Amino acid sequence: MTTTVTPPDPTPTKERKRSRLPKSARAGGTLHAGPIAYVILALFTIGSLFPLVWTAIAASRDNSRLAQSPPPFWFGSGLFEKLEIAWKDANLGEAFLNTTIVAGTSAVTIVFLSTIAGFAFAKLRFKGRGAMMLIVIGTMMVPPQLSVIPLYMMVAKLDWTDQLQAVIFPSLVSAFGVFFMRQYLIQALPDEIIEAARVDGASSWRVVWHVVFPTARPAMAVLGMLMFVQTWNDFLWPFLVLTQMGNPTVQVAIAGLGRGYTPDQSLIMAGALLGTLPLLVVFAIFGKQIVGGIMQGAVKG
């Protein structure tokens, strides 16, 4: 009785797995999404854009049409007229300038201080580091509404009411920013690079400037964008310390629109649309760089 021995498959395991992949993947190309993926992405895109589009539609109509059922789902003829009225009535030119100053100053300061503090908590060894980090995280759990009264008393004593510094100074630091940068630098910044810089005689500030900042640039871009948007959209605190006739931010200026016995909803929508457009422009210009920075940081990490 003869036994037939089957020779082993000469194709390596990786080659067998590769042979089961689509031709585009085996050739080194990219995998293409199927029709279902495109449908899902289209639905999510439409759902994300719908609030913005409907705001523009509502701004182009009048109160009587907005009160009807069903509401309008296409543009009217009064959009540019309402935008012009909202711009003049709310003094949005000055409000845009004030908000840009406040949001830009806060974003730059938060990014700078958070990167330094995050590096200290991530890579430096000092007594009480863990306890101090727990305190920083603990401040994130306190509702910001609890600090409104003591903060307003402090601002009133300094005679800063209706001045931009009353909004700028409370937003110069961020516990979230410190935690965000710490978590990023733990993974993205190897200890060996810091030790090599120390061996070369670099001081702490030189390490921060020439090692930490270049490594943390992707996370700094993301944090700066988040803080800029957050400060731009902040309403409660600016509404308490600023007035529409003094030094309003965008949100304070929009809050004064459409006042009366019957609020003009279309005028309010026009102001909200104008207040949103600068953020869309900023993200359209820098969004690709920010997303690229995120991916670069992910690869480095």
Side-chain angles (χ1 to χ4, degrees):
M1 180 176 180
T2 60
T3 303
T4 304
V5 179
T6 304
D9 187 358
T11 306
T13 304
K14 291 184 179 180
E15 291 297 327
R16 291 200 301 270
K17 291 182 178 179
R18 185 179 176 86
S19 64
R20 292 195 292 266
L21 294 174
K23 291 182 178 180
S24 60
R26 292 200 302 267
T30 57
L31 292 174
H32 296 282
I36 298 179
Y38 282 109
V39 171
I40 295 175
L41 290 175
L43 292 176
F44 272 100
T45 302
I46 294 172
S48 301
L49 292 177
F50 178 76
L52 181 63
V53 174
W54 196 86
T55 300
I57 293 174
S60 66
R61 301 285 183 163
D62 53 20
N63 271 3
S64 59
R65 181 63 184 92
L66 293 178
Q68 295 177 6
S69 182
F73 289 101
W74 192 247
F75 295 92
S77 59
L79 177 59
F80 294 102
E81 179 184 355
K82 289 297 178 65
L83 292 176
E84 183 180 358
I85 295 174
W87 179 273
K88 293 179 179 178
D89 287 0
N91 194 16
L92 285 178
E94 181 181 358
F96 279 152
L97 177 61
N98 292 339
T99 310
T100 302
I101 294 173
V102 173
T105 304
S106 298
V108 171
T109 308
I110 287 174
V111 169
F112 180 77
L113 296 179
S114 297
T115 304
I116 296 176
F119 165 68
F121 282 118
K123 297 299 179 179
L124 300 184
R125 302 291 181 267
F126 54 90
K127 189 175 182 180
R129 183 183 67 165
M132 293 177 65
M133 193 64 219
L134 287 177
I135 294 174
V136 172
I137 296 175
T139 59
M140 298 169 58
M141 304 176 185
V142 179
Q145 292 81 0
L146 294 180
S147 62
V148 166
I149 294 178
L151 190 58
Y152 187 86
M153 294 173 62
M154 185 182 302
V155 168
K157 276 191 174 183
L158 295 172
D159 198 20
W160 283 358
T161 53
D162 206 14
Q163 299 183 36
L164 292 183
Q165 57 262 36
V167 183
I168 293 175
F169 275 89
S171 61
L172 291 182
V173 294
S174 170
F176 168 76
V178 175
F179 178 76
F180 179 83
M181 296 305 303
R182 172 186 177 271
Q183 295 302 112
Y184 180 84
L185 290 173
I186 286 178
Q187 298 294 330
L189 183 60
D191 295 335
E192 292 77 8
I193 297 180
I194 302 175
E195 293 173 0
R198 296 288 191 187
V199 170
D200 292 340
S203 62
S204 297
W205 280 109
R206 191 171 181 182
V207 170
V208 170
W209 189 260
H210 293 283
V211 177
V212 177
F213 283 165
T215 304
R217 190 178 295 120
M220 293 169 68
V222 175
L223 180 62
M225 184 67 180
L226 292 176
M227 293 298 102
F228 185 88
V229 173
Q230 176 182 316
T231 308
W232 185 280
N233 292 329
D234 192 15
F235 172 74
L236 177 61
W237 178 243
F239 184 74
L240 294 175
V241 296
L242 301 178
T243 63
Q244 187 182 13
M245 302 305 298
N247 290 303
T249 59
V250 169
Q251 309 307 324
V252 176
I254 294 174
L257 280 174
R259 288 182 176 178
Y261 184 77
T262 303
D264 191 344
Q265 299 294 337
S266 61
L267 191 60
I268 296 174
M269 291 296 184
L273 182 62
L274 287 172
T276 306
L277 289 179
L279 296 181
L280 298 178
V281 173
V282 169
F283 190 79
I285 296 175
F286 300 105
K288 187 175 181 180
Q289 288 79 1
I290 292 174
V291 173
I294 296 174
M295 298 307 298
Q296 179 184 359
V299 172
K300 286 185 177 180

